[in-house]
Amino acid sequence: MAESVFDCVVIGAGPGGYVAAIRAAQLGLKTAVIEKESPGGICLNWGCIPTKALLKSAEAFHTLRHANEYGLEAKEIAFDFSQIMKRSREVVDKMTKGVRFLLKKNKVTLIMGTAQFDSPGRIIVSEENGNKLPIEYKNAIIATGGRARTLKSLPVDEERIITYRQALALKELPQKILIVGAGAIGIEFAYFFKELGADVTVVEIMENILPIEDEEISQTLAKNLAKNKMTIKTGTAVESLKRHGNTVSALLKTQDKVEQWDGDYCLVAVGIVGNVENIGLERVGITPERTFIEVDHYYRTGVDGIYAIGDVIGPPQLAHVASHEGIIAAEHIAGLSPHQLNYNFVPGCTYCQPQVGSIGISEKKAKEAGYNIKVGKFPFMASGKAVAANQAEGFVKVVIDSTSEEVLGIHIIHSEATELIGEASIILSHEGIASSVANTVHAHPTLSEAIMEAMADALGRAVHV
C-alpha cells in the first residue's frame, strides 16, 4: 500500500492544517491532509469568514440608513435576513473551493473522513461510506481545532440556547437575545444582531468587555455600543439559564443584585476547548491537559514524529496564529530551522463597529511588567481622512519604553482598525522605535497617519493634537 504511506499526515484541514500540509508539500514531503467535514475548518466554514460576511451586511445596512450624512438620499431601506444568511454561506462555498484548489495545486492528498491514531506510525480513517482506510505516516500534525466551550450552568440545546455555529445558520432574526461572554465572538454577534434591530443584552463576568484588550479601548467600545442602545452588563454572572418553549429565561447577578432576563434566544460565547476526543491520542502516548495538547516551540508533542498546532494547543486561538504554527511545524519536519513564533507580537482583531485591533502589551500590563513608559494617542476626529469619510470615532494609542523608545504596544479603535493593525504588526515584529515611526513619511490624507501621529504624541512632539 505504497500510496497510503506519507512523509507527513495532517489531521484537520483548517487554517492551521491546510497551510501546514501545503508548506510540507512545497518542501518535497509526500503529504496528506484528513478532514471530516469541509476544508477550511471552523474559521472558514463556521467562524472568521461567514461572520465577516454577516458583519459587512450589517455595516452596509447602517451606511444606507445614514445616507443623508453623505449628502445622499436612500428611502425605504430594509433587509432580508434569509438573503443575508444565504450570502454568508455563498462566501464560504467560494472559499472552501479555493482551499481545495490550493491543496490540489500543491499535490496534497485530501482524504475525507474521521482520523484516529491506531498505533505509532499508523492512522485509520473512517470514510463516510463506512470504509476503514489505513494510513501510514512518518510524521503527523494534529490540527483538529476547537469548538465552543459549554458549561453545565449554560445548557446549550442548539435551538434557542446556541453557540456561534447555530448562530450562523439561524432562519430568523432574534427579537431579544442574551449574549453570554463579551470576547470577540460575543461582541461581533452582538453588533450584528443589534444593527439589524434586535434587542441585545451582553453579559460579561469580567469588569470590561473584550477583557484582554487595553482597558481604555474596551471602555470606549462599551460606551459606543451602549450609545447605540445595546445593554451591556459587566461584572455579571449568569446564575441560571432555562428554556421554556420559544422563551429563554436567565437570572443575572451583578454584585448583590439579581434580575431576570427573558427573550427568545441566548448565545453562549464563553471560550473555546480543544478537539482532543476520539482521535486515539492515548494509543500514541499523548495526554491532553485541560483539553489542550502540550507542545514545544517547534510544536512537537513529546512523542516522536507527532506535532500539534492551532486551537488544539490552546490560546491564542486565532486562525493566523494556527497558520504560522503550521508553517513552523512543517518546516521543522522537513529538516529546516524555522523561526520561533513570538506570541507577544500576535495581532488581535474584533470586527464590530467601531473595530478594535491591537498588538503588543497594554498600558496596564506594561506598568505591571515594570516598564517606565510613555503613552501617545491620536484621535481620529483630528484626521482629515477620517472626518472626510464620516468615520471620526476612535483613536490610536501607543505604549513605548520611555528610555529606549521601543514600541511595546499599539491599540486602535476605529471603523478600519483591523486593516490599520497591519502596519502596527510590522512595527512590533521589527522591534520598532517610536522616533523612527514618527520620522517615517506617511501619505496624506490617510488613516494610517494616525499611527505616526500617536508616536509623535508619545515623544512630546505632536503637531495635530
Side-chain angles (χ1 to χ4, degrees):
M1 298 184 68
E3 67 275 13
S4 296
V5 179
F6 294 91
D7 298 315
C8 181
V9 172
V10 183
I11 303 175
Y18 85 75
V19 169
I22 289 173
R23 185 65 184 130
Q26 289 174 342
L27 293 169
L29 301 176
K30 185 178 180 183
T31 305
V33 61
I34 304 167
E35 172 57 49
K36 68 177 183 179
E37 292 188 19
S38 178
I42 289 297
C43 174
L44 199 158
N45 290 278
W46 297 102
C48 321
I49 303 305
T51 56
K52 303 312 162 280
L54 297 182
L55 290 166
K56 188 60 183 179
S57 292
E59 290 172 25
F61 183 56
H62 176 90
T63 300
L64 288 170
R65 288 188 294 121
H66 293 80
N68 64 306
E69 296 175 10
Y70 297 88
L72 306 175
E73 186 175 300
K75 296 181 178 180
E76 299 181 8
I77 304 302
F79 65 87
D80 184 328
F81 188 74
S82 64
Q83 288 301 310
I84 290 174
M85 302 303 282
K86 180 183 177 184
R87 175 181 174 272
S88 174
R89 301 319 302 170
E90 288 172 347
V91 169
V92 167
D93 183 58
K94 185 180 296 185
M95 299 304 294
T96 55
K97 288 177 180 176
V99 173
R100 286 179 180 272
F101 168 78
L102 290 172
L103 292 171
K104 184 177 181 179
K105 173 187 174 184
N106 286 280
K107 297 180 173 57
V108 175
T109 301
L110 173 61
I111 301 171
M112 299 303 297
T114 302
Q116 278 196 339
F117 287 102
D118 182 54
S119 61
R122 194 168 189 264
I123 291 171
I124 301 296
V125 180
S126 300
E127 298 179 299
E128 288 186 358
N129 59 13
N131 287 344
K132 303 291 185 181
L133 178 66
I135 301 291
E136 294 183 23
Y137 67 87
K138 296 177 182 176
N139 297 277
I141 300 176
I142 302 167
T144 47
R147 64 185 184 278
R149 181 184 179 213
T150 56
L151 303 172
K152 289 183 179 180
S153 59
L154 303 171
V156 171
D157 63 17
E158 299 186 356
E159 294 178 352
R160 292 287 168 169
I161 303 176
I162 60 177
T163 69
Y164 63 82
R165 186 149 183 164
Q166 294 82 49
L168 287 165
L170 286 175
K171 303 296 183 183
E172 63 180 7
L173 175 69
Q175 295 181 25
K176 188 176 182 182
I177 185 169
L178 176 69
I179 296 180
V180 184
I185 293 173
I187 289 297
E188 287 178 5
F189 275 110
Y191 167 77
F192 171 69
F193 290 130
K194 182 61 185 175
E195 197 62 58
L196 296 186
D199 182 325
V200 177
T201 296
V202 178
V203 172
E204 171 57 51
I205 198 165
M206 304 296 285
E207 292 305 311
N208 289 298
I209 65 171
L210 300 185
I212 67 171
E213 297 291 349
D214 182 270
E215 288 185 354
E216 189 174 6
I217 295 285
S218 297
Q219 291 165 5
T220 299
L221 177 62
K223 290 176 183 177
N224 185 283
L225 296 176
K227 183 177 68 176
N228 291 322
K229 299 182 180 179
M230 184 186 298
T231 301
I232 297 176
K233 296 180 177 295
T234 56
T236 300
V238 179
E239 293 284 280
S240 68
L241 182 65
K242 297 179 181 179
R243 175 186 173 183
H244 309 278
N246 291 334
T247 299
V248 178
S249 298
L251 287 180
L252 310 179
K253 183 177 182 180
T254 307
Q255 296 180 338
D256 296 328
K257 180 183 177 182
V258 177
E259 62 180 303
Q260 181 165 321
W261 177 94
D262 296 294
D264 55 340
Y265 283 93
C266 174
L267 170 63
V268 177
V270 291
I272 303 293
V273 296
N275 291 325
V276 294
E277 304 88 353
N278 303 316
I279 56 176
L281 294 180
E282 67 283 355
R283 298 192 188 109
V284 290
I286 296 175
T287 303
E289 180 70 25
R290 293 182 300 172
T291 80
F292 300 122
I293 298 172
E294 293 186 5
V295 295
D296 67 9
H297 53 270
Y298 289 124
Y299 307 103
R300 295 175 292 193
T301 63
V303 175
D304 286 346
I306 301 181
Y307 296 66
I309 61 169
D311 287 0
V312 78
I313 67 171
Q317 291 157 309
L318 301 166
H320 44 284
V321 170
S323 295
H324 276 267
E325 291 170 345
I327 289 171
I328 292 169
E331 291 183 349
H332 191 263
I333 288 170
L336 304 181
S337 298
H339 70 285
Q340 295 180 28
L341 181 55
N342 188 334
Y343 289 93
N344 294 322
F345 298 155
V346 169
C349 297
T350 304
Y351 296 80
C352 56
Q353 282 296 339
Q355 299 174 356
V356 171
S358 66
I359 187 168
I361 57 177
S362 65
E363 178 181 1
K364 180 179 179 180
K365 288 185 177 179
K367 291 177 179 176
E368 290 174 348
Y371 285 101
N372 183 13
I373 64 170
K374 292 180 180 178
V375 174
K377 288 176 61 178
F378 185 78
F380 282 100
M381 67 176 63
S383 162
K385 177 66 180 295
V387 173
N390 198 34
Q391 297 175 335
E393 286 187 307
F395 56 88
V396 174
K397 178 178 182 178
V398 302
V399 181
I400 71 172
D401 183 283
S402 60
T403 302
S404 67
E405 296 185 1
E406 181 181 354
V407 182
L408 304 174
I410 301 178
H411 310 274
I412 308 172
I413 179 168
H414 183 258
S415 61
E416 299 293 340
T418 62
E419 295 298 327
L420 291 170
I421 205 63
E423 177 176 342
S425 299
I426 295 294
I427 292 169
L428 265 75
S429 67
H430 287 69
E431 300 179 356
I433 302 301
S435 57
S436 178
V437 179
N439 293 337
T440 298
V441 178
H442 284 61
H444 175 78
T446 61
L447 297 175
S448 60
E449 288 177 289
I451 296 175
M452 173 190 70
E453 297 277 9
M455 297 292 177
D457 184 53
L459 297 169
R461 34 189 274 208
V463 172
H464 292 102
V465 285

